[in-house]
């Protein structure tokens, strides 16, 4: 496929992979609010796909599309096998995690530690490309601090220079990665918790802009600390797309507005009432399948972020529920009890 065609396909806004958050229920909820954003799964390890309960791990509702599957792995053969298996699920993109700093992941040479091994990453990307015709992308950091983690033969463990990132990206590009999603801070592989690794190392947006400027043919998506529509607008002047993580989870209704950034896109002028009404048949369906309604509703706690009624919403959907109530009953009760003006407030007044 021509690079220019891929550029057109670069989603202007995507919702970041987040373990324990971006499961199928959250994605369904998101899709009610943003029709255009690309939604990512949580990180799924290659061994979970190969050895685990595949339906449980990979099934999703067609309504969620477009959805990108993020995999974490370290062995090209396993990566190939996992992507081949996932082909039956028809994800819209397969993404490799090279940005997650958690011990569990980097201890297995998965996630951010892979940035020290660009050739190996290139092999994995090539294996993924052999296994699927779908776009193959990578999510990584601007660099890593690998002190006490990388083997002694590394002359430097602090791989945080712009040139380090550039060299990594060029090697991975050779293997055919079609988009680079860059969390604009380094990952410190030892000594910081995953949470601290999303907050402590400073954001270096300018390095990501520079990469796009120097390699303009690449699809570059920026990630990290992006919270508002204004922030998104600002970044889109320099890069092809923006990925939002925590802000999308904490304030999901914001996503109604991001559809305007897509080609021919416009604000999804929906109300919170319509979102709740959209959830009712979904909750009914999953409860019939034996899934607890709260498993989905827990991801909607932020729907009234910074609005009157936020506390009531959280109290209503958080168990214990009144005796005999189903998720559907809770949602009808919410439609009755929440401030009607907030329920009916559309994005465009
Ligand atoms: C709870 C949580 C889980 C995360 N899990 C993943 C993951 O599975 N894969 C991944 O690449 N990044 C993961 N991340 C990192 C996010 O994708 C994102 O890069 C990071 O939060 C920075 O973006 P933000 O400032 O918009 O949240 C996670 C972040 C959070 C908060």
């Amino acid at each position: 496929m021509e690079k220019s065609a891929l550029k057109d396909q670069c989603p202007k806004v995507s919702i970041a992979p987040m373990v324990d958050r971006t499961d199928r229920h959250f994605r369904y909820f998101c899709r009610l609010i943003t029709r255009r954003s690309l939604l990512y799964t949580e990180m799924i390890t290659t061994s979970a796909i190969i050895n685990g309960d595949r339906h449980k791990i990979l099934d999703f509702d067609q309504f969620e599309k477009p959805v990108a599957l993020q995999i974490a792995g370290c062995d090209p053969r396993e990566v190939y096998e996992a992507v081949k298996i996932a082909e039956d699920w028809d994800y819209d993109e397969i993404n490799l995690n090279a940005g997650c700093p958690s011990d569990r992941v980097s201890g297995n040479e998965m996630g951010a530690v892979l940035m020290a091994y660009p050739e190996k990453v290139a092999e994995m990307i090539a294996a993924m490309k052999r296994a699927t015709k779908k776009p193959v992308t990578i999510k990584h950091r601007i660099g890593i601090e690998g002190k006490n983690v990388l083997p002694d033969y590394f002359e430097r463990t602090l791989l945080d220079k712009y040139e380090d990132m550039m060299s990594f990206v060029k090697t991975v590009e050779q293997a055919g990665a079609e988009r680079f999603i860059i969390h604009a801070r380094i990952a410190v592989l030892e000594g910081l918790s995953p949470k601290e690794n999303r907050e402590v190392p400073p954001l270096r947006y300018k390095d990501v802009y520079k990469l796009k400027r120097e390699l303009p043919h690449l699809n570059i998506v920026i990630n990290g600390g992006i919270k508002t529509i204004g922030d998104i607008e600002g970044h889109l002047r320099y890069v092809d797309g923006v990925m939002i993580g925590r802000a999308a989870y904490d304030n999901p209704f914001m996503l109604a507005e991001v559809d305007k950034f897509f080609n021919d896109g416009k604000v999804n002028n929906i109300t919170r009432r319509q979102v709740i009404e959209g959830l009712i048949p979904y909750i009914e369906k999953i409860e019939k399948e034996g899934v607890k309604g709260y498993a989905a509703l827990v991801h909607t706690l932020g729907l009234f972020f910074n609005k009157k009624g936020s506390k009531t919403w959280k109290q209503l959907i958080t168990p214990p529920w009144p005796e005999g109530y189903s998720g559907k009953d809770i949602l009808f009760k919410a439609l009755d009890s929440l401030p009607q003006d907030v329920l009916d407030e559309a994005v465009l007044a």
Side-chain angles (χ1 to χ4, degrees):
M1 197 182 286
E2 294 283 318
K3 278 267 156 63
S4 56
L6 282 171
K7 180 172 163 44
D8 291 342
Q9 286 171 15
C10 180
K12 296 285 183 200
V13 180
S14 51
I15 311 305
M18 288 182 280
V19 166
D20 293 334
R21 294 189 179 182
T22 53
D23 61 16
R24 51 183 302 185
H25 306 309
F26 178 67
R27 297 194 305 263
Y28 192 99
F29 168 61
C30 271
R31 185 57 76 216
L32 290 165
I33 305 174
T34 166
R35 300 295 178 168
R36 303 291 298 273
S37 306
L38 176 62
L39 307 179
Y40 280 75
T41 66
E42 311 168 80
M43 161 184 81
I44 303 178
T45 62
T46 49
S47 64
I49 296 175
I50 295 168
N51 306 311
D53 177 346
R54 291 174 190 165
H55 284 288
K56 187 156 177 250
I57 296 169
L58 294 172
D59 281 0
F60 65 95
D61 193 300
Q62 290 302 300
F63 178 71
E64 296 165 40
K65 275 173 140 306
V67 180
L69 169 67
Q70 187 189 58
I71 59 167
C74 55
D75 173 38
R77 276 168 311 184
E78 282 187 15
V79 166
Y80 175 86
E81 195 182 341
V83 175
K84 210 63 190 157
I85 290 167
E87 279 289 89
D88 285 347
W89 275 261
D90 194 29
Y91 281 94
D92 297 279
E93 167 186 320
I94 313 290
N95 175 267
L96 180 69
N97 181 335
C100 195
S102 93
D103 283 350
R104 189 166 49 90
V105 175
S106 55
N108 280 320
E109 304 221 317
M110 287 190 249
V113 71
L114 288 174
M115 288 196 72
Y117 306 97
E119 300 294 344
K120 188 171 179 186
V121 174
E123 270 180 58
M124 286 195 273
I125 293 287
M128 291 164 76
K129 302 261 311 172
R130 283 196 300 279
T132 183
K133 294 272 175 288
K134 297 286 165 59
V136 167
T137 67
I138 181 163
K139 179 168 180 278
H140 60 93
R141 299 274 183 140
I142 50 172
I144 51 171
E145 164 56 288
K147 199 168 160 204
N148 296 331
V149 173
L150 295 180
D152 291 344
Y153 62 78
F154 274 83
E155 281 172 20
R156 292 187 292 131
T157 56
L158 181 59
L159 306 174
D160 73 335
K161 294 195 175 60
Y162 172 78
E163 290 70 28
D164 295 322
M165 171 171 68
M166 170 67 114
S167 145
F168 175 81
V169 165
K170 278 186 166 167
T171 306
V172 177
E173 182 205 0
Q174 294 300 313
E178 280 145 82
R179 195 175 326 121
F180 295 81
I181 301 143
I182 308 175
H183 183 174
R185 48 166 67 91
I186 67 162
V188 179
L189 301 183
E190 193 195 69
L192 289 187
S193 68
K195 185 167 184 287
E196 287 167 331
N197 258 309
R198 295 191 284 266
E199 286 159 11
V200 176
L203 285 160
R204 287 167 39 191
Y205 294 138
K206 285 189 180 151
D207 283 19
V208 182
Y209 300 163
K210 185 172 171 194
L211 189 76
K212 175 65 194 176
R213 219 169 40 240
E214 295 188 350
L215 300 174
H217 61 288
L218 294 187
N219 272 303
I220 304 287
V221 172
I222 197 164
N223 167 244
I226 300 165
K227 294 195 179 83
T228 65
I229 298 296
D231 291 348
I232 298 172
E233 231 153 23
H235 288 296
L236 287 177
R237 283 201 276 274
Y238 302 100
V239 289
D240 302 293
V242 165
M243 174 180 268
I244 313 171
R246 289 162 292 185
Y249 196 81
D250 296 342
N251 180 17
F253 199 66
M254 173 188 90
L255 299 177
E257 209 172 333
V258 305
D259 287 5
K260 72 179 181 192
F261 293 115
F262 286 77
N263 292 346
D264 307 320
K266 51 183 192 315
V267 168
N268 183 20
N269 201 22
I270 194 170
T271 63
R272 288 178 181 79
R273 180 190 300 283
Q274 288 168 322
V275 174
I276 295 173
E277 285 170 352
L279 280 173
I280 290 171
Y282 180 72
I283 298 289
E284 221 179 348
K285 174 173 154 270
I286 63 165
E287 286 187 334
K288 272 202 192 106
E289 291 164 359
V291 177
K292 285 208 171 6
Y294 185 64
L297 291 181
V298 65
H299 297 307
T300 71
L301 285 165
L303 181 60
F304 289 79
F305 178 84
N306 253 350
K307 289 283 171 187
K308 202 169 52 171
S310 177
K311 204 166 154 201
T312 312
W313 171 248
K314 288 179 184 169
Q315 280 168 347
L316 275 170
I317 62 176
T318 304
W321 293 347
E323 185 70 28
Y325 266 56
S326 66
K328 184 173 92 171
D329 300 327
I330 290 291
L331 292 177
F332 276 121
K333 191 168 157 58
L335 289 174
D336 273 347
S337 356
L338 284 158
Q340 300 295 303
D341 56 332
V342 181
L343 277 171
D344 291 323
E345 185 183 272
V347 186
L348 300 174

